[in-house]
Each structure stands twice: as structure tokens, then as C-alpha cells.
Amino acid sequence: DEVYGFTMPLVTDSQGNKFGKSEGNALWLDKEKTSSYELYQFFVNVEDVMVIDYLKIYTFLSREEIEELDRKNKEHPELREAHKALAREIITFLHGKEEYEKAVNLADHLFNNKFNDLSKRDIEELFKGQEVKEVELNTNIVDFAVNMGIASSKREAREFISSGAISINGEKVTDPEKTIDQNMFIENTYIVVKRGKKNYYIGKAR
């Protein structure tokens, strides 16, 4: 009898590390396990040296299209056109155009620090896995900042607020007398606080 074997090389990163549950970096096809937004963030942030290989493996783009993306990637890596094409092709293939557009929309909101027009489900997707702290309503913003861990003391909280380092749902807060009330919560549930460029804190109405 004739016997046939079929082998494929593992898909790895530039260091030769594989992807999977045992490595702690598994991507699931089920969007309830790995959302389209999570897929988008993963693929737009893959290593520059690997993105063209992934386009060849994971997409149905033509050789000419991939070569053009390779050229653009080398000339203007900051635009991440190859990375965005990778994310677009994979998410659209797996979950459809609507899911891809939703992922891009969420990414744009995070990049622009604008959250007021999002739903509480959107907030849960954007900040999946991040600690959510309960918030006492009608609390002064200085106390709120300390309770949320945004500042280590009231003095530091006042400094952050007066310098414009803190925003709530994308709006800068500079008044240390401001009160955290129900109207500040997205769908009466979540409040998103940003300090500096990359520090986010999520509160939930008690």
C-alpha cells in the first residue's frame, strides 16, 4: 500500500517561537473568545519583519498585491499599510466586513481618546482583561482619582487635574472641585479615565 504524509512548518515569530495555548498567545477563530478588535490589534502590531510572511500564509492576496505592500512597508513603515491589510483580510474572511469595520472604529476611538458615543459592550471589548473598579457616585474627583489608583495621594491627584493630565471619557478635566455623577457613565455603567498618554482606568457605577 502507498502511504502519503503531509507536513507544514509551524507559524512562528521572528525568534522562532510558535503561537498557541501553551505559549499563552493563542488566537481563537471564535469571536467570543478572541474578538475582532483583539485580532485587529494583534495583526496591526506584528513585527515588521514578519508581516509579509504572514500575508503570504494567511491571506488570498495576489503575489503582486503582497509585493506592493512589501514596497510600501519598506518605504513608509510608520503607515503600517501591510499590517492593516493583514488585519483586514483575516478579520473579513473570518467574521465579515462589518466586524472588521467595527474593529477599526474601536481602534480609532482608542487612538483619539473618544468614548462617549460607544456602548458598554464596546468598552468591555476595548478594555477586556483590565481591572474594573467600583465607583461611588457623587464623589469629588480628587478622592475618585485616589480611590481608582490614578494618583497615590490627594496632592498628586490635584497636580494631575490642574495640569490637564486626566481626561474622563475623552474630555480633559481641570477642575479639582468636579463631582463624579451618574451622567458621566457610559450607558450608566462605565467611566473611562486616562492619565498621560497610555494609562487607562475603568470604573463601574456602584
Side-chain angles (χ1 to χ4, degrees), residues 1-199:
D1 294 335
E2 291 187 63
V3 178
Y4 297 89
F6 181 82
T7 65
M8 288 182 66
L10 288 171
V11 179
T12 63
D13 62 20
S14 63
Q15 305 302 312
N17 300 314
K18 67 177 183 178
F19 299 104
K21 287 192 296 183
S22 61
E23 299 295 320
N25 58 0
L27 298 175
W28 298 90
L29 301 184
D30 183 346
K31 66 181 179 181
E32 297 304 317
K33 292 185 176 181
T34 300
S35 70
S36 296
Y37 171 72
E38 289 176 286
L39 285 176
Y40 181 84
Q41 287 294 351
F42 180 86
F43 287 115
V44 296
N45 288 296
V46 298
E47 301 165 285
D48 290 356
V49 297
M50 298 303 297
V51 67
I52 300 303
D53 283 346
Y54 293 162
L55 281 166
K56 293 175 182 176
I57 294 168
Y58 287 125
T59 78
F60 294 101
L61 292 178
S62 68
R63 177 176 177 175
E64 291 74 22
E65 288 172 311
I66 293 174
E67 287 176 348
E68 176 64 12
L69 287 167
D70 188 20
R71 182 187 64 77
K72 290 179 177 179
N73 192 49
K74 289 174 180 173
E75 291 179 357
H76 296 286
E78 73 281 0
L79 298 179
R80 306 191 79 72
E81 289 193 47
H83 301 71
K84 292 174 182 176
L86 178 66
R88 181 192 67 234
E89 293 299 308
I90 292 174
I91 296 170
T92 303
F93 177 75
L94 288 176
H95 304 310
K97 182 180 178 182
E98 186 176 330
E99 279 291 314
Y100 167 71
E101 290 175 345
K102 176 184 174 184
V104 172
N105 182 50
L106 289 179
D108 286 345
H109 275 77
L110 185 65
F111 180 79
N112 293 307
N113 192 36
K114 296 294 181 184
F115 305 102
N116 276 322
D117 62 338
L118 296 180
S119 67
K120 63 182 181 181
R121 177 68 184 271
D122 292 334
I123 299 300
E124 289 165 357
E125 273 199 48
L126 271 174
F127 299 100
K128 183 179 179 180
Q130 186 159 330
E131 181 183 10
V132 177
K133 291 190 176 182
E134 286 195 343
V135 177
E136 184 95 35
L137 294 178
N138 302 315
T139 300
N140 174 268
I141 190 169
V142 173
D143 294 323
F144 166 76
V146 175
N147 294 338
M148 287 284 289
I150 299 165
S152 58
S153 67
K154 290 186 177 183
R155 179 188 60 78
E156 187 176 55
R158 290 190 185 94
E159 287 179 359
F160 286 153
I161 294 165
S162 61
S163 66
I166 290 179
S167 65
I168 293 179
N169 299 336
E171 303 293 332
K172 278 192 177 183
V173 179
T174 56
D175 180 7
E177 301 304 317
K178 192 173 185 66
T179 298
I180 304 299
D181 60 38
Q182 186 68 62
N183 294 328
M184 300 170 74
F185 288 78
I186 295 166
E187 289 194 356
N188 298 315
T189 306
Y190 293 112
I191 189 168
V192 180
V193 185
K194 183 181 181 183
R195 176 176 61 80
K197 291 185 177 181
K198 294 184 178 180
N199 301 300

